[in-house]
Amino acid sequence: MRVDFQNWVAAHQLRFEGVLQAFLPRPEISPERLHQAMRYAVLDGGKRVRPLLAFAAGEVAGANSERVDIAAAAVELIHAYSLVHDDMPCMDDDVLRRGKPTCHVEFDEATALLAGDSLQTLAFWLLAEHRLSDDAARQLQMLRLLANATGSFGMAGGQAIDLASVGQALTLPELEYMHIHKTGALIRAAVLLGAYCGSLLDAAQMEKLDHFGKLIGLAFQVVDDVLDCAADTATLGKTAGKDAIHGKPTYVSLLGIQGAREMAKRLHGEALETLAEFDERAGRLRELADFIVLRKF
Ligand code: GRG
């Protein structure tokens, strides 16, 4: 019998918490404070959207779930690192994340910086240490893919553009470029890495999944912009309304809230169309696309 979506999500979130616990350095091992900060930033919080996308894409590609766990953990560690650094005073300067004090508030700035750095390197260590594919060239390709999605041609590059765009009037294509990199690149990588752990898909199907990842990554950001102005801090677990306060260009500032909602709906439709040729094994990906666009937090 097929488990309903809510239960599938809950079961994977619970099991994956154990996977992350096992991969993170134990808190009593030296340097204790750094290891405690790394665990604080990763464990017990977050929707785990990127890992869920990797699990769902792994299902499409017939992947071994232990391999997908590694890929999903690597992506989530990169995501956690990005949140720790983004919250620091030199960037977004925020005090609340996932319903608790941000890492630099709970620990200190230097520890938060090192925790982010160490989470990033742990992610790449995981991909290098474990076998994720029977094809060594493909495994290298996976490392390359995550590096590109994370660095100056991906998330970090998008963040640099974001920081430079405060108070600027961006055009829609400029805003899209920024978000495809800042938020979209890692979401896209999560889908691809999950699929690369399996071997059922040909190049054309991988390209379809890549396009799905791109569309749903952008939709995620459009919804994030809407929630930043439509939801409250308690629901989001992070400070609401900051984009407008900081004069950040967003889909809401460019299109209005209704226009942004319509854009998310259009991207959602296009993402589902991209999956049209896949059979029921893509069911979880379709459900995740729905969740990403309909979510309230
Ligand atoms: C510091 C290199 C560097 C990059 C930071 C991801 C990012 C780039 C900044 C985070 C700021 C932000 C709120 C971006 C909007 C989209 C986003 C990534 C939201 C947070 O992701 P969720 O909603 O968070 O998946 P949880 O806590 O559920 O994991």
Side-chain angles (χ1 to χ4, degrees):
M1 196 189 73
R2 191 172 189 273
V3 177
D4 75 36
F5 180 64
Q6 304 277 7
N7 284 321
W8 180 84
V9 167
H12 276 282
Q13 284 171 335
L14 187 68
R15 192 187 54 79
F16 190 60
E17 192 70 12
V19 171
L20 290 170
Q21 292 241 20
F23 287 148
L24 282 159
R26 291 162 59 93
E28 69 277 9
I29 293 176
S30 175
E32 293 89 343
R33 192 171 167 79
L34 176 58
H35 292 157
Q36 286 157 13
M38 289 167 72
R39 296 177 74 87
Y40 179 84
V42 174
L43 299 175
D44 193 22
K47 298 179 285 297
R48 311 295 191 207
V49 164
R50 295 152 193 81
L52 291 168
L53 283 166
F55 298 138
E59 285 189 13
V60 182
N64 168 310
S65 64
E66 280 165 24
R67 289 182 174 182
V68 185
D69 277 347
I70 312 281
V75 172
E76 187 66 10
L77 294 179
I78 298 280
H79 172 56
Y81 127 68
S82 79
L83 298 180
V84 169
H85 282 193
D86 181 67
D87 289 332
M88 290 182 66
C90 60
M91 295 210 200
D92 213 28
D93 193 10
D94 214 331
V95 294
L96 188 71
R97 172 69 65 184
R98 294 176 164 176
K100 44 186 198 180
T102 46
C103 193
H104 67 277
V105 169
E106 183 71 13
F107 292 84
D108 55 79
E109 276 185 47
T111 304
L113 187 70
L114 292 172
D117 292 340
S118 306
L119 290 172
Q120 177 169 198
T121 47
L122 179 58
F124 287 102
W125 181 84
L126 283 178
L127 292 194
E129 179 70 11
H130 297 90
R131 181 161 288 286
L132 300 176
S133 169
D134 297 333
D135 176 353
R138 173 176 276 203
Q139 177 138 359
L140 257 186
Q141 176 57 20
M142 292 167 80
L143 271 155
R144 228 179 265 127
L145 195 152
L146 188 63
N148 274 327
T150 301
S152 62
F153 297 111
M155 181 182 74
Q159 177 79 346
I161 298 170
D162 187 338
L163 292 170
S165 72
V166 173
Q168 308 279 316
L170 295 189
T171 62
L172 204 52
E174 286 168 339
L175 187 68
E176 186 170 303
Y177 182 89
M178 174 173 93
H179 286 312
I180 280 177
H181 290 80
K182 185 180 108 165
T183 313
L186 200 57
I187 289 181
R188 199 169 170 181
V191 173
L192 281 182
L193 288 176
Y196 270 132
C197 289
S199 53
L200 294 184
L201 304 180
D202 61 27
Q205 289 171 316
M206 285 299 291
E207 220 166 278
K208 288 244 151 91
L209 279 194
D210 185 32
H211 195 55
F212 168 81
K214 183 177 175 183
L215 292 165
I216 214 62
L218 191 56
F220 183 94
Q221 180 61 52
V222 179
V223 172
D224 206 75
D225 286 356
V226 170
L227 291 175
D228 184 70
C229 70
D232 57 42
T233 298
T235 309
L236 294 179
K238 60 180 181 179
T239 314
K242 286 198 74 179
D243 293 340
I245 293 167
H246 287 181
K248 279 196 175 185
T250 66
Y251 285 99
V252 173
S253 69
L254 250 74
L255 302 174
I257 196 151
Q258 197 46 37
R261 284 198 170 112
E262 275 158 25
M263 180 170 175
K265 201 170 155 204
R266 182 175 57 73
L267 289 166
H268 174 233
E270 286 174 22
L272 290 180
E273 248 171 62
T274 311
L275 297 181
E277 74 161 63
F278 291 95
D279 62 16
E280 68 281 356
R281 279 183 300 118
R284 297 304 182 194
L285 267 189
R286 294 186 180 98
E287 288 170 331
L288 277 167
D290 298 344
F291 168 75
I292 282 170
V293 173
L294 298 174
R295 71 198 166 100
K296 300 278 177 268
F297 58 96

